[in-house]
Amino acid sequence: MSSSTVSVSAATPTQHPFQRKIDEVKPSKADINFVVMDYLISEGYPRAAHKFAKEANIQLPVQEDSIQSRVEIRRAIHAGDIDTAINKINDINPQILDTDPALHFALLRLQLIELIRSCTSSAQSDITPALTFASSQLAPRAATNPAFLKDLELTMSLLIFLPAETLQPQLADLLNPSLRREVASRVNEAILTNMGARGEARLRSLVRLRLWAEQKARETGKDLPPELPLGLLDTDGNPVEGEDAMES
Amino acid sequence: MFRRSSSYAAVAAGNASGGGQSQSPGPARSGAFSHLAHGGSNLGIQSNLSSPNHTRHHPRSLDADGHHNSMSTSWGRGGQLPSYSGQFGYLNSYGGVAPDGPPLSFFVPSYLRGSKHAEKLEELHRSRMAAQREYRSNHSSNAGSLSTSSSSVNLHKMVPSHRGMTHDVIERAPVFADEPVAPWPTRWSDVDKYAQLDVEDGGRQAKYAGTQKAHDEAASVRADYPMPRQCGIYYYEVTVVSKGKDGRMIGVGFSGPKVPLTRIPGWEPESYAYHGDDGQSFSNTTSGKPYGPKFGTLDVIGCGINFRTGTAFFTKNGVFLGTAFRDLKTDRLYYPTVGMKKPGETLRANFGQEPFSFDIDAMVQAEKAVILAEIDRTKLSARADRDKGPTDESILIHDLVGQYLAHDGYVETARAFAEEVIEEARALTGNDGELGYIEAAEDLDAINRQKIRAAILDGDIDKALKHTNAYYPSVLRDNENIYFKLRCRKFIEMIRRCNELNAQCHPPTPPSKRSIASNGFRNSAATDDYDFEMELDEQLGVHNGTAQWGTDNMDTEDELENKESKLQNLTDETIKYGMELKSEFASDPRREVKRALEDTFALIAYENASQSTLAPLLETSGRLPVAEELNSAILVSIGKSSTAALERLCQQTEALVAELADDGGPGAFINVRRDFLQ
């Protein structure tokens, strides 16, 4: 049979030369599958990882052991249950937090934010627990590091503004779920590093590499098309296929 | 006198290219044959060219005018091949071995191991080795013709030469997959050198054999290739074996291809060097700057260019001496160059064949670490203002992975992943309602595509065609090529079924039993253009015999007869379909269509096609490419990319990094696959 491939891209006759270079790169599916598996394992998606091992016929990596406890820790942090998270981290290895004061501080501050959130949920609430926690747990640590102190001060100012409809962005960020997500992912990396695994999922580095390379290439005046779309969005800006296989 | 107007191209053209400059269009013949092809004036040169030693020469230093210099090493300059791809010619000069010579030598300097550029060159080397093996096996029976053919290969590729080739090389078209890869220096050039400077020991050693030079003259030699900027950092070392009688006027550095070799490097424009007699550094001028210590016998001097920063440095006996030159123009070609003045002065080069005395590996690693740290600091927020796609890295990665799994058909994984992501999001927001980005929309389209793909993979082309026409009516209309492939595939699947049925009706039978066969059940289908009819008749005749043989079991016989009539029907259908197919596409002028049709129809000529040379056509593995192609075409028809976003991301990353590597920029230090995908 003829092996000629269909020129599906012929629809765009004035193709940028760089687009051709992109099209000529033939990434190996095995590499991509490896990166996906690496991501599922290190970021803690155990069920997907097991299915993927079966469907793509690849082996589960060894770090898989810790995946369940890492998932539980992530869940606890996401839910704002920092106590549980800290206990579970210490179950794995107390050194993880002992050797990383910044991470420990970030967790405690997250706990303080949760306390403040619940303390200020109504006008009559008592803010004493938040104050006690701040002075007993965070203040001693903040004294050792100016950055910690600044973070603590900012966090404490929440007490003054809450409850509020609108907050200045700096404060709003503290209440944003993405802060929990960020801390959870730092904890996850710390656990992986502690176990001797590569801390960060390769896919994260890859996404950054892509971004960096585009920025650099544009800075140095390389001849690139104005946009390099990934194809996650269709022309109307709607997600394409995103999570489409969910209910089939 | 050694004005140099050479280039990679000339090098690529290789030794065998001696005649390229001359008027004679014929291939350079070896030895005794040369007179057949060439007129008298070129004869001597050609003979020289094809002598057994020619493989060690690197004819780079010739006058484009075609003046054959009286120096023994001067040949007509090679033609201009703006690439390294003149395969055999390049093979000759690269590693200095002819196709029929000993195995090509290849080495990777320690600091470049694992780099993208080294990988490219290794790959090139491997394909050359394969070409060499093939060449040998093709030519071993006719040793006398060896160099003849290698030469003629080159000559046929030659184009008229012109000057300024170096610029052509630099401004060449952007990198494509088959882009030639710039080799690194491997030895001192046998020809790009001062005449009385001897190059010994396989090109590693350079010795001044002439008389003492006047104060402003010297004897210099360049390496065979320029320092490739694609390496990011290039570094080589020179050991002063002997500084001669009473001097150490030795210069180590690099120079452009046209810098006169009668001067010590550093004194001429486009040349840079560190001099042993005064420890000064010289760039483009005879007045030096205080730089490092003096050096002499047994000192090891290293010279490196950092193309990313446009700086050059030297080392002495493993000690870094600091930056010597800044603001180097990185779009120039710089050849490792040494120069000397006193008789007996001898320098030995290490282009990476041996461990270096300076820890250049650490320097390259440090450079890489700086770049990796910079990459790590890159924040996705840079995308935010462009209002395209998710601005949160985690969400973007969720989308990438989810889309990849769905796109490539890992349905179960995609479902499990989506569930886990939802759980995560619920934990995060504490609110089932605020899932926003993660809303699970049933994607009818994905299901349709999966149905079509599954039908093709099952061999049910009719079903695939039906679904495709129902859901995506324009696809087959707009992609006639795919339509044709599907139609051919259907024919193949019919033949497959005929074969299968035939095998069932016709279990392996001892010949003696088969001879009983006699039965009026003959296929009398109308004759037509196809001579495969007869073949089929024979098959049917044979298996009818089998039916007879099975008479002791009525059920089996019934079943068999049933199958036989099915086979008969199917065969008729297949033939009918084949004729349809033929009439539909017979007038198609495209060669690949004709070829595919011929191949496909040929299948029917075989009694058992799965045993024939055409068996690969029947493999079920042939379904996958058709399915993938149709899937891609459908995706394109509904305005989606045929490539998963994650795959696209990999492609873009590789292409962008290659772009940043080509001029010696930061990309040179990154190997996407090795550093990020493994």
Side-chain angles (χ1 to χ4, degrees), chain B residues 431-551:
Chain B
N431 181 349
D432 291 0
E434 285 181 26
L435 294 178
Y437 74 98
I438 204 72
E439 259 339 306
E442 185 168 334
D443 191 336
L444 261 179
D445 182 63
I447 295 165
N448 289 339
R449 282 188 293 113
Q450 251 141 20
K451 271 190 214 160
I452 293 168
R453 181 195 288 240
I456 297 178
L457 294 183
D458 274 356
D460 192 345
I461 308 297
D462 276 338
K463 190 172 164 194
L465 286 169
K466 200 181 85 192
H467 283 328
T468 309
N469 276 327
Y471 301 133
Y472 311 103
S474 68
V475 169
L476 294 177
R477 209 169 51 230
D478 297 345
N479 297 280
E480 207 207 339
N481 199 345
I482 295 178
Y483 174 67
F484 172 68
K485 282 183 187 178
L486 280 167
R487 298 269 294 179
C488 283
R489 188 71 216 176
K490 182 183 168 185
F491 187 73
I492 292 168
E493 295 297 341
M494 290 174 99
I495 302 265
R496 273 182 61 83
R497 251 173 294 150
C498 285
N499 271 331
E500 271 167 29
L501 267 179
N502 193 9
Q504 282 168 23
C505 298
H506 179 196
T509 315
S512 57
K513 301 266 180 157
R514 224 198 265 180
S515 62
I516 306 168
S518 79
N519 169 319
F521 186 61
R522 294 281 302 182
N523 171 25
S524 58
T527 52
D528 56 42
D529 296 343
Y530 294 101
D531 55 8
F532 55 70
E533 280 284 38
M534 211 191 291
E535 304 273 353
L536 283 170
D537 284 355
E538 278 166 24
Q539 289 172 39
L540 292 171
V542 169
H543 73 245
N544 285 339
T546 347
Q548 285 279 350
W549 173 61
T551 45

Side-chain angles (χ1 to χ4, degrees), chain B residues 279-308:
Chain B
Q280 294 192 349
S281 66
F282 291 77
S283 60
N284 308 317
T285 167
T286 50
S287 57
K289 289 182 188 158
Y291 174 65
K294 300 173 182 179
F295 61 83
T297 305
L298 294 184
D299 283 330
V300 180
I301 304 304
C303 168
I305 299 182
N306 183 332
F307 288 93
R308 186 177 78 95

Side-chain angles (χ1 to χ4, degrees), chain B residues 133-330:
Chain B
R133 273 194 299 277
E134 198 176 314
Y135 184 91
R136 277 184 183 160
S137 61
N138 290 345
H139 292 78
S140 52
S141 59
N142 190 4
S145 69
L146 285 179
S147 52
T148 303
S149 21
S150 70
S151 301
S152 53
V153 166
N154 280 306
L155 289 168
H156 290 321
K157 289 189 174 185
M158 270 172 205
V159 294
S161 59
H162 61 280
R163 296 181 189 230
M165 193 50 211
T166 44
H167 295 290
D168 291 358
V169 169
I170 290 155
E171 293 159 13
R172 64 187 186 268
V175 191
F176 293 126
D178 52 353
E179 168 87 355
V181 188
W184 43 60
T186 61
R187 49 169 292 153
W188 297 122
S189 170
D190 268 329
V191 287
D192 194 17
K193 69 179 182 68
Y194 186 79
Q196 281 131 309
L197 200 145
D198 290 344
V199 171
E200 306 167 333
D201 191 19
R204 298 279 300 280
Q205 202 150 296
K207 180 179 182 179
Y208 182 51
T211 53
Q212 175 152 355
K213 304 293 289 186
H215 76 283
D216 60 342
E217 289 213 324
S220 294
V221 60
R222 273 184 282 266
D224 53 350
Y225 293 109
M227 302 155 92
R229 56 188 181 157
Q230 292 86 349
C231 293
I233 287 179
Y234 182 84
Y235 178 80
Y236 76 100
E237 283 180 354
V238 163
T239 305
V240 182
V241 175
S242 161
K243 68 178 167 67
K245 255 188 199 151
D246 52 355
R248 45 182 175 187
M249 185 49 176
I250 293 169
V252 176
F254 48 93
S255 67
K258 294 177 183 174
V259 176
L261 292 160
T262 52
R263 298 270 280 172
I264 200 120
W267 284 5
E268 287 289 307
E270 286 212 20
S271 75
Y272 303 81
Y274 169 33
H275 287 185
D277 60 332
D278 53 11
Q280 294 192 349
S281 66
F282 291 77
S283 60
N284 308 317
T285 167
T286 50
S287 57
K289 289 182 188 158
Y291 174 65
K294 300 173 182 179
F295 61 83
T297 305
L298 294 184
D299 283 330
V300 180
I301 304 304
C303 168
I305 299 182
N306 183 332
F307 288 93
R308 186 177 78 95
T309 54
T311 57
F313 60 92
F314 293 94
T315 66
K316 184 189 171 191
N317 298 328
V319 178
F320 182 68
L321 298 179
T323 298
F325 312 115
R326 295 179 194 281
D327 303 320
L328 291 174
K329 293 194 180 74
T330 53

Side-chain angles (χ1 to χ4, degrees), chain A residues 4 6 19 21 23 25 29 31 33 45 47-48 55 78 202 204 208 210 212 216 222 229 244, chain B residues 174 374 376 393-394 398 404 406 408 413 420 423-424 427 485 629 648 651-652 659 663 673 678:
Chain A
S4 65
V6 184
Q19 190 59 44
K21 294 189 203 175
D23 293 338
V25 177
K29 285 273 181 199
D31 282 350
N33 284 350
Y45 300 100
R47 292 203 299 280
E55 281 190 303
H78 282 174
R202 285 167 179 79
R204 275 188 194 275
R208 275 184 220 136
R210 150 80 178 69
W212 169 85
K216 271 280 174 224
K222 305 281 182 194
D244 61 4
Chain B
E374 190 184 316
D376 205 46
E393 189 181 273
S394 296
H398 280 159
Y404 173 73
D408 276 47
T413 314
E420 285 182 305
E423 272 172 34
E424 185 185 343
K485 282 183 187 178
E629 236 178 87
R648 185 113 296 228
Q651 290 178 310
Q652 289 177 353
E659 202 73 5
D663 58 359
R673 188 153 187 261
Q678 292 176 337

Side-chain angles (χ1 to χ4, degrees), chain A residues 1-2 4 6 8 18-25 27 29 31-36 39-40 45-48 51-52 55-56 74-75 78-79 177 180-181 198 200 202-217 220 222 224 227-233 240-248, chain B residues 174-177 371 374-376 378-380 382-383 386 389 393-394 396-398 401-408 410-413 415-418 420 423-424 427-428 440 442-443 446-447 449 482 485 488 492 592 617 629 635 640 645-649 651-656 659-660 663 666 673 676-678:
Chain A
M1 245 336 137
S2 154
S4 65
V6 184
V8 282
F18 188 73
Q19 190 59 44
R20 215 178 105 202
K21 294 189 203 175
I22 290 176
D23 293 338
E24 276 174 9
V25 177
K29 285 273 181 199
D31 282 350
I32 296 181
N33 284 350
F34 173 81
V35 166
V36 168
Y39 169 78
L40 295 176
Y45 300 100
R47 292 203 299 280
K51 294 276 187 203
F52 194 55
E55 281 190 303
R74 179 186 71 198
R75 196 176 291 146
H78 282 174
R180 292 186 202 164
R181 194 201 283 273
R198 185 188 164 110
E200 190 179 62
R202 285 167 179 79
L203 188 48
R204 275 188 194 275
S205 321
L206 184 68
V207 165
R208 275 184 220 136
L209 174 65
R210 150 80 178 69
L211 195 66
W212 169 85
E214 185 180 347
Q215 282 173 11
K216 271 280 174 224
T220 48
K222 305 281 182 194
L224 302 182
E227 295 280 341
L228 285 174
L230 287 174
L232 270 177
L233 302 174
V240 172
E241 279 191 65
E243 312 290 334
D244 61 4
M246 298 200 25
E247 318 273 350
S248 49
Chain B
V175 191
F176 293 126
I371 294 163
E374 190 184 316
I375 293 168
D376 205 46
T378 308
K379 284 281 182 291
L380 199 58
R383 282 171 68 106
R386 280 206 267 146
E393 189 181 273
S394 296
L396 172 66
I397 292 174
H398 280 159
V401 172
Q403 196 254 6
Y404 173 73
L405 293 172
H407 188 281
D408 276 47
Y410 300 112
V411 184
E412 299 266 297
T413 314
R415 194 176 298 142
F417 180 65
E420 285 182 305
E423 272 172 34
E424 185 185 343
L428 198 56
E442 185 168 334
D443 191 336
I447 295 165
R449 282 188 293 113
I482 295 178
K485 282 183 187 178
C488 283
I492 292 168
E592 66 268 23
L617 272 181
E629 236 178 87
L635 284 168
K640 292 180 182 181
L646 181 54
E647 206 171 342
R648 185 113 296 228
L649 181 122
Q651 290 178 310
Q652 289 177 353
T653 309
E654 282 273 15
L656 286 165
E659 202 73 5
L660 293 174
D663 58 359
R673 188 153 187 261
F676 288 85
L677 294 178
Q678 292 176 337

